[in-house]
Amino acid sequence: MARRRRGIAAVVLIVAALALSTGCAQPGTSASAAITLYTCVTDTTVQPVLAAFQAAHPNTEVALFRAPTGQLNARVATDVRTGGLRADVIWACDPLTMQGYVEQGLVGGWTPRTDIPQSMRTPDYVGVSMLYLVAITRADRPALTAWAQLPGAGRVAVPDPSVAASALGAVAYFGTDFYRRLRDGGAVQVSTPDEVTTGVAQGLYDSGLTIASSAYAAERRGSPVTVSWPQPGAVAIPGPAAVSRSTNRPQPARDLVSFLSSREGQQVIGAAGSYPTLPGTPGPTMPAGAPTVQPDWQALAGRQDELLRDYATVFGG
Amino acid sequence: MATIARPLGAATSAMLVISAGAVVAVPMLMLVATSLGEGGGEYIRTLREPGVGAAIASSVELSAMVTLLAVPAGAALALALRDASLPGRALWRVAVLLPLVIPDFVLGYSWVAAYGRAGLTSQLLGWTWPGMQGFLGVAVIVSVSLAPLVYLIITVGLATRADPITERAARASGAAPITVLRTVTLPLLAPAVATSAVLVFVLALGSFAVPQVVGAPSGFRTMSAMIYAELTYGSDPRNFVQATTLAVLLVAITLLVIVPGDLVLGARLRLAGTPAADPAGLSGGRIGRVAKSMSLAGYTVASTGVPLLALVVAAITRAVGVPSTPGNWTWDNFRLVLTPRTGEALARSLLLALAAASILLVLALITAGLSRTRAGQAVGVLVTLALVLPGSALAIGLLLGYGRWLADTGAIILLAYLAKLWGLAHRPISAALDRLGPAGPQAARASGAGLATSLRTVTLPMIEAALVAAWALCLVTALHEVTMSSLLYGPDTETLAVIVLNTADLGQVGATAALSVIVTAVVALPGAALWAIGRRARA
């Protein structure tokens, strides 16, 4: 009995020592990494992009922190309060988040020469990827041809704009009255666009508002759903990239943003399942001539709270 | 307990206070400092903001409902499984613990997949639970996830407090089984019931994943969800500060619950007791045993069996929404997640979870040993407060406190696990120590045994069950932890949580389900093997 207890105590001590040694060790990669990238872009996109960048710039290593927008923002906010932003480059998922960083003086002041349209660029950042909010319906129901049909499209699900930045873009474009009509027609709010996709695929809902990559992935895997780009168009949300104003390695950081906005980088982004922003670059499924619309991002900057408060009068919160 | 507290002495108290200060108080103080320094401490104004009052009310109502459901359910399970003559008791004892090994982030999904519209029961039986995606559904699912915790605490309580001789005497004197339960058994279990009630209330107050996934469609929103929403727009500094202010308010609400609970109940509940074997004569006869077996079977199948089956079905089906017939079965989801990167992350998570659980055992034992001292009581309250803090808020506090030196290292993730789970380990161990009579350790000391010998030969063996339960709880919870590690990880410290989050973020339900099946198996299979070996050794 006593031997067994001594054994247990030894195991406890060894495990604790092992973990402490693992825990206290500085990450090996970060010691040799030239730059750090913070992003909310999905892993399936960012990993091939970084592999291609490092193949093109073998002397530049990139340490990655990838997390959903909420965690990314929290990380940036704590960085700011503990010695400054640790990222050299930020690749965000919506312009409002990036505009917030610009207004805090964290990023910006430089953008690369690129053929990406001027509408996706500001003096501080450049949109290098795109999210499209589209309509998803059960395969046994008629696909939507216009957003105006959504309030009557059965049991509808919409994503929560206080959780998903892309959903906030839709609220900004459609306006609160549209959501009021949806609610009055029996629509419910779920957490994320992916939950809309899953819910419609499962049959929990008849139709909903989700991001194109999620909807097409479900359709490709065989889920009984139909994706449509209703008139006047899918809501486009650019994913902007910017260089940190406090980076100690400006050149490698600029190299990365330049790569993201280059023809080669855009091709990798397109092949990895995200929508590129450079015209003519192949990307994921998008019907020919699919209509797209965008809210006025510049006018919306700093108005998130107001938008969410208005929205909360419809879907609670 | 005083027999432990006295010799532990001032040095141990100081060490405990310093550890708790560094691990738990520093991150909390950083949150308070941020909300005061940048937000001006406008707690009253925040309370009056639209939605905040409703979110607080929702959180408190949810916690109250979960406490009302989970505590009686856990107590009933413990009492039913106390009967040594119950057929298949060893199997039931493992089965009722199963919800613990299902990660929170898939529990909500598995219930919707099991009982929701177009779920498994709808396909097989044509039956769904219409109100599941709302307050009651959230309350039931959170209760199912917490009932095993209550079961563990009360089982340990029964093992040391409820003396079958007293109960048999009551029965022999003509008392009906229900009278024995009400007048003898339950009063003896008061400390364990109170401990589990406080713990369940606090854990439910801080729950995030289930309310977010299951409650959102009905507009049900808790404080944790509101804090997460503020963080989502943290690129505006006002939102970040608002999130810290809401987190501080949540901690204040928790204080209002646990401090009176500890002060009023604490002293009254510390009664002497004697360890007891499981009784065989209190089963209520053959009919009683059959009724218990059927109730246990129904509960286990409904709470865990069907949701786990739905999870496995989702993992092996090629797409969401297609019938799960053999033609649609595939291993693709498993192939997608079984990569070297997942293996490395799993190994790292296991190591961190093992380390956290082992260190927590020592810290919780010292905290419990000192629980009659002011230092011990203060640390006890402090670590319970950390339990209710949303993981994201606690992680932010740690980054604010230690980010300059420890950002991106495994050490900060380990600190987060210690901070979050100290309370989880402390409460059951404290309850077990409370139930120990002073006679044994006193006799050992009087016979000349040193503190170490007294602890090793008398105290620890008597609370062995509580120690094992606390260690296992911390291990499983740390292994499943998502929110904190996804905020704290660095390039070489990616944990399983990060892989899970990345997979879930891509909306790959099948892959997430496959990963959850793997995580569940990683915990359940070695657990079952250890349990079998233990049974064999005992036999």
Side-chain angles (χ1 to χ4, degrees), chain A residues 19 23 27-29 42-43 66 71 73 75 77 81 86 104 155 161-163 189 191 194 201-202 204 221-223 305, chain B residues 38 117-118 212 216-217 221 232-233 235 239 318-322 341 355 403 408 411 486-487 489 492 502 505-506:
Chain A
T29 310
T42 59
D43 221 30
R66 198 217 78 83
Q71 267 101 327
N73 279 329
R75 176 88 166 212
R81 289 160 178 80
R86 292 187 184 85
Q104 292 178 69
R155 190 171 153 86
S162 66
V163 172
Q189 174 193 270
S191 191
D194 285 327
Q202 276 180 298
L204 286 173
R221 285 194 287 266
S223 291
D305 272 351
Chain B
E38 296 182 45
R117 187 181 166 199
Q212 183 76 357
R221 184 169 230 198
T232 299
Y233 291 101
S235 64
N239 294 94
R318 68 180 165 84
V320 178
V322 300
R341 192 173 158 210
D408 296 347
S486 65
L487 190 54
Y489 85 97
D492 273 0
N502 283 340
D505 209 26
L506 297 172

Side-chain angles (χ1 to χ4, degrees), chain B residues 46-445:
Chain B
T46 303
L47 278 173
R48 288 183 185 142
E49 281 190 4
V52 174
I56 291 174
S58 295
S59 294
V60 173
E61 282 165 17
L62 176 68
S63 294
M65 178 61 98
V66 169
T67 309
L68 284 174
L69 292 173
V71 174
L77 289 173
L79 288 169
L81 290 172
R82 188 181 170 216
D83 179 2
S85 62
L86 189 74
R89 186 172 77 138
L91 181 72
W92 294 125
R93 281 179 143 179
V94 175
V96 298
L97 291 175
L98 271 176
L100 282 178
V101 301
I102 304 179
D104 256 12
F105 50 81
V106 290
L107 196 64
Y109 170 76
S110 64
W111 269 70
V112 173
Y115 302 118
R117 187 181 166 199
L120 193 65
T121 54
S122 169
Q123 289 172 31
L124 298 177
L125 310 168
W127 180 84
T128 58
W129 177 9
M132 192 182 67
Q133 287 184 286
F135 172 76
L136 192 60
V138 174
V140 168
I141 299 171
V142 176
S143 300
V144 163
S145 74
L146 293 177
L149 184 68
V150 180
Y151 161 76
L152 277 176
I153 293 171
I154 292 181
T155 298
V156 171
L158 280 166
T160 53
R161 283 301 304 280
D163 189 343
I165 292 171
T166 322
E167 292 167 314
R168 285 195 196 107
R171 290 298 304 278
S173 308
I178 191 76
T179 310
V180 176
L181 181 71
R182 190 171 51 80
T183 58
V184 180
T185 314
L186 289 181
L188 284 167
L189 285 180
V193 170
T195 296
S196 50
V198 170
L199 208 48
V200 164
F201 191 94
V202 169
L203 286 169
L205 207 53
S207 64
F208 171 70
V210 174
Q212 183 76 357
V213 171
V214 182
S218 67
F220 181 70
R221 184 169 230 198
T222 60
M223 281 282 274
S224 297
M226 189 165 248
I227 291 168
Y228 185 82
E230 292 293 345
L231 285 177
T232 299
Y233 291 101
S235 64
D236 181 342
R238 287 171 303 177
N239 294 94
F240 181 80
V241 173
Q242 177 81 345
T244 62
T245 304
L246 288 170
V248 171
L249 279 173
L250 192 57
V251 169
I253 293 166
T254 313
L255 262 177
L256 289 177
V257 175
I258 59 171
V259 169
D262 281 1
L263 288 179
V264 175
L265 295 172
R268 201 186 305 161
L269 294 175
R270 289 188 185 104
L271 303 167
T274 48
D278 288 328
L282 297 170
S283 61
R286 188 167 170 275
I287 294 172
R289 283 197 295 273
V290 171
K292 278 181 196 169
S293 294
M294 289 182 69
S295 304
L296 281 165
Y299 172 80
T300 310
V301 168
S303 68
T304 321
V306 178
L308 261 182
L309 184 63
L311 198 65
V312 173
V313 166
I316 59 168
T317 305
R318 68 180 165 84
V320 178
V322 300
S324 187
T325 51
N328 285 327
W329 288 352
T330 174
W331 290 107
D332 283 355
N333 293 321
F334 287 92
R335 271 194 285 272
L336 196 69
V337 296
L338 280 173
T339 62
R341 192 173 158 210
T342 307
E344 285 169 23
L346 179 60
R348 207 172 284 123
S349 289
L350 268 173
L351 191 62
L352 281 166
L354 279 168
S358 306
I359 295 169
L360 281 167
L361 204 58
V362 177
L363 290 174
L365 192 58
I366 297 172
T367 313
L370 290 169
S371 69
R372 287 195 180 174
T373 66
R374 279 190 186 164
Q377 283 165 357
V379 170
V381 169
L382 187 65
V383 298
T384 308
L385 289 181
L387 263 184
V388 76
L389 256 188
S392 46
L394 189 56
I396 287 167
L398 281 164
L399 277 173
L400 289 171
Y402 301 110
R404 280 173 200 271
W405 308 282
L406 297 179
D408 296 347
T409 68
I412 200 161
I413 299 176
L414 185 61
L415 272 182
Y417 291 171
L418 296 181
K420 184 76 181 166
L421 304 178
W422 192 333
L424 197 61
H426 159 64
R427 292 260 160 186
I429 293 176
S430 182
L433 271 182
D434 272 349
R435 290 185 295 270
L436 269 190
Q442 273 170 358
R445 299 303 304 276

